[in-house]
Amino acid sequence: MPRKTYSPASFSSNSGTLLRPLLNWSLAGLALSASVVFILAGLGAWLGVDVIIRLDDQIQQLFYLNSDSRLHLFPYTAFITALGSFKISAVAAGGFALLFFIQRSPRFVVYGYALTGSFAMMWILNTLLKEFFRRSRPELEHLLIVHGYSFPSGHAMISMGFYGMLFGIWAIERQRHNSSGVWVPVLCGISFIFLIGLSRIMLGVHYPTDVFTGFTAGLAWIFCMVKGIKQSR
């Protein structure tokens, strides 16, 4: 049976209605993601600076590449952390979005907008949040050159919010054909995202609480975007 396709004219006439749920949920996702960051920051203030610093120090001592033996992992850690950088994630966003858009299917067009929106909104929101909180980076030797503030981690937010969206789309497509196969993209996504966040701690450029908050904010965004995708198809 041939795949059903749509002309640009026929799709554009319905695009507003098709994408409206995605737009509504993306606005909700921005609000929820930002709220999560403020709630966690408020919780940290309530617990006290000393408690947070002690927690960060305990975790950093476990993972920071502060010895000759651990430094052997540096090339691998640097490669993993690069996958969460702006340049590489921008190339990934553009490449996958193009693949989705050329499918000429409303479902894949929704995927394309969800993916590009996730990339753009996570970076914009993270930049604004960093400027608001202005937390300095850890007082450790940074094993990579970094700029800007520390909280919340941009790599953690983009890995969860953008790459998480990509793995989420994979999971949605797997579910359409085989419900049991959804665990493959979920497990791959969790492993990939966790390693990017962990690499930031290992390189001494982020506190663990920066990474945890970035993950949580990105997860809130993903929750809303998946809702939007399901209502837009």
Side-chain angles (χ1 to χ4, degrees), residues 3 11 14 38 44 53-55 58 73 95 108 119 124 128 131 135-137 147 154 167 177 180 192 219 226 231:
R3 185 181 66 182
F11 178 74
N14 297 317
F38 280 98
I53 291 177
R54 186 162 57 249
L55 176 63
Q58 289 174 349
L73 296 173
F108 281 93
F119 167 77
I124 292 172
L128 294 175
E131 285 296 322
R135 186 187 193 185
S136 299
R137 292 185 182 270
H147 305 283
F167 283 102
H177 301 94
S180 63
F192 180 77
L219 187 61
V226 169
Q231 290 183 14

Side-chain angles (χ1 to χ4, degrees), residues 1-186:
M1 182 178 180
R3 185 181 66 182
K4 187 177 182 179
T5 59
Y6 296 78
S7 67
S10 64
F11 178 74
S12 62
S13 62
N14 297 317
S15 59
T17 302
L18 183 68
L19 296 175
R20 189 172 296 117
L22 186 67
L23 176 60
N24 292 339
W25 277 104
S26 66
L27 295 175
L30 284 173
L32 183 59
S33 185
S35 297
V36 164
V37 175
F38 280 98
I39 289 171
L40 291 176
L43 178 61
W46 178 75
L47 291 173
V49 175
D50 291 340
V51 174
I52 299 301
I53 291 177
R54 186 162 57 249
L55 176 63
D56 279 330
D57 287 343
Q58 289 174 349
I59 299 175
Q60 282 175 329
Q61 288 176 9
L62 294 175
F63 298 106
Y64 177 56
L65 302 179
N66 59 350
S67 65
D68 291 339
S69 59
R70 291 185 181 185
L71 282 173
H72 289 304
L73 296 173
F74 175 76
Y76 309 102
T77 309
F79 172 76
I80 292 170
T81 208
L83 297 176
S85 67
F86 179 85
K87 291 181 179 180
I88 292 183
S89 58
V91 171
F96 280 103
L98 180 61
L99 289 176
F100 290 148
F101 286 137
I102 64 177
Q103 296 298 314
R104 297 179 63 192
S105 164
R107 186 172 86 254
F108 281 93
V109 169
V110 170
Y111 292 160
Y113 280 113
L115 196 65
T116 52
S118 295
F119 167 77
M121 291 301 101
M122 286 295 93
W123 277 114
I124 292 172
L125 180 59
N126 181 261
T127 300
L128 294 175
L129 289 169
K130 282 186 174 181
E131 285 296 322
F132 180 85
F133 289 102
R134 298 195 170 200
R135 186 187 193 185
S136 299
R137 292 185 182 270
E139 295 181 358
L140 299 169
E141 181 184 0
H142 298 163
L143 302 181
L144 287 178
I145 297 175
V146 290
H147 305 283
Y149 298 107
S150 189
F151 180 88
S153 166
H155 277 65
M157 277 188 71
I158 201 67
S159 63
M160 182 64 76
F162 166 66
Y163 286 117
M165 186 76 268
L166 186 59
F167 283 102
I169 291 170
W170 181 15
I172 291 170
E173 283 297 297
R174 293 273 296 195
Q175 193 173 36
R176 285 174 57 88
H177 301 94
N178 179 12
S179 59
S180 63
V182 72
W183 290 107
V184 175
V186 169

